[in-house]
Amino acid sequence: IVYGHPPLTRPGVSMQGLKWMFDPNSPLYIRPRLDGDLVRWLWTFHRHCTTAHFERCMSILAHMGWETSRGFDLMLEEASIECDWRSSGWLDVCLGSDSLAEATREIDHLSKFGYTARTIDGDELRAEDPAFTDEVVGAVRYDQSATMDPTAFMKGLREDLRRRGVEILEGADAGVERLLVEEERIGGVRLADGSDLRSGRVVLAAGTWTGPLAATVGLEVPLEPARGYHRELEAVPHTPRTGGVFRETFIAFTPMFDRLRLAGTLEIAGHGRPWTKSRLDNLVAAAGRYVRELDRSRLGSEWAGYR
């Protein structure tokens, strides 16, 4: 749970992405295809990789981060959810001195909004957490943010909501087919079984399927599904105590209960394409340069999902 994290649309990112986009094993992979919506999205993304847009996003995301922090604290306290919550911040872990210098410069993006961070060298990092290899030259430690097991969190939240009388509709019949407009406002939804569900307020939070639903009331939301890959390891000889990101690979690592989750890559290939198995395998291979003896771990669950 990274509060105030910078947006993906940073100056220079779109040009860097051009170097990666046709390499199936790079952090960003765009499967070549003739698709007008994809071309428009790529052009829109490129136009927003500017300093002005970045600074505007940061002011909004930084504020949302503090609000999110308070929201999680309140939910965890009121619902008593056991999800291995660790409010120990996060690490931006680097193999190269150039990467560490670049990560250090990014501290200024958040410090103006009250977030705190500091740079530590590899020896100090290993003294705090011996899980990291000698290849690691250092890291930026951000004090705010947290990690948790999201499945355990959602299970606990679901149980608490039901105790409070919230009805949760599930299954194919409860799937939302379209939004309903009443007097120039959204007044409910039509479900897959043909019934209508009226409401005083509707929150459209359908992930990468938000676009098609918004289109049912004439709204255009420029979204492209970006698939991320996840692999969990069990019996890890040296599990990092704090979550974070491996800087050079853009792979996130999260300790949760007795497991270590590795997650990363952006694969823009549309909905429903087969997995790229090499991207799953690369998660562990790349992480092995940062964390000791990962090859002695046992493979747990693995999956891919759309951001």
Side-chain angles (χ1 to χ4, degrees), residues 279-296:
R279 297 181 79 76
L280 269 174
D281 297 335
N282 279 343
L283 291 176
V284 179
R289 296 186 63 190
Y290 298 83
V291 178
R292 299 181 188 278
E293 301 183 276
L294 273 190
D295 55 347
R296 292 175 51 197

Side-chain angles (χ1 to χ4, degrees), residues 28-82:
L28 169 65
Y29 173 56
I30 302 176
R31 185 182 295 274
R33 67 185 194 272
L34 293 174
D35 186 323
D37 290 338
L38 174 61
V39 172
R40 281 190 293 273
W41 183 87
L42 288 170
W43 176 241
T44 302
F45 182 91
H46 172 70
R47 289 194 300 108
H48 285 81
C49 289
T50 64
T51 300
H53 182 73
F54 177 85
E55 291 177 352
R56 178 175 177 271
C57 287
M58 280 307 308
S59 65
I60 296 170
L61 292 170
H63 170 73
M64 289 176 64
W66 289 118
E67 293 300 312
T68 301
S69 174
R70 285 188 279 271
F72 270 117
D73 289 344
L74 187 63
M75 283 188 287
L76 290 164
E77 179 182 352
E78 291 191 354
S80 300
I81 300 173
E82 287 295 326

Side-chain angles (χ1 to χ4, degrees), residues 109-246:
H109 296 326
L110 286 169
S111 61
K112 69 180 71 174
F113 301 106
Y115 295 91
T116 56
R118 66 187 180 95
T119 302
I120 55 179
D121 63 27
D123 291 337
E124 185 178 356
L125 176 63
R126 283 180 286 274
E128 295 178 1
D129 192 336
F132 295 102
T133 68
D134 293 338
E135 278 194 77
V136 173
V137 302
V140 172
R141 176 183 291 281
Y142 288 87
D143 299 319
Q144 289 75 32
S145 299
T147 60
M148 67 169 173
D149 182 328
T151 301
F153 174 79
M154 293 301 292
K155 180 180 178 182
L157 183 61
R158 170 196 183 112
E159 292 171 353
D160 181 71
L161 289 171
R162 282 185 161 153
R163 282 194 298 269
R164 295 168 185 261
V166 174
E167 181 183 5
I168 301 173
L169 303 179
E170 297 179 280
D173 290 342
V176 176
E177 291 283 311
R178 62 179 294 110
L179 304 177
L180 300 177
V181 178
E182 297 176 347
E183 298 180 356
E184 298 186 350
R185 63 180 298 276
I186 308 299
V189 296
R190 176 156 297 162
L191 303 181
D193 65 2
S195 62
D196 291 343
L197 189 62
R198 306 289 175 177
S199 176
R201 185 166 298 176
V202 175
V203 177
L204 179 53
T208 59
W209 290 273
T210 294
L213 282 173
T216 63
V217 290
L219 295 176
E220 183 180 355
V221 182
L223 288 176
E224 276 291 321
R227 184 157 52 190
Y229 288 84
H230 307 70
R231 178 169 271 179
E232 292 188 357
L233 300 176
E234 301 170 352
V236 180
H238 307 281
T239 303
R241 298 166 185 165
T242 302
V245 173
F246 301 135

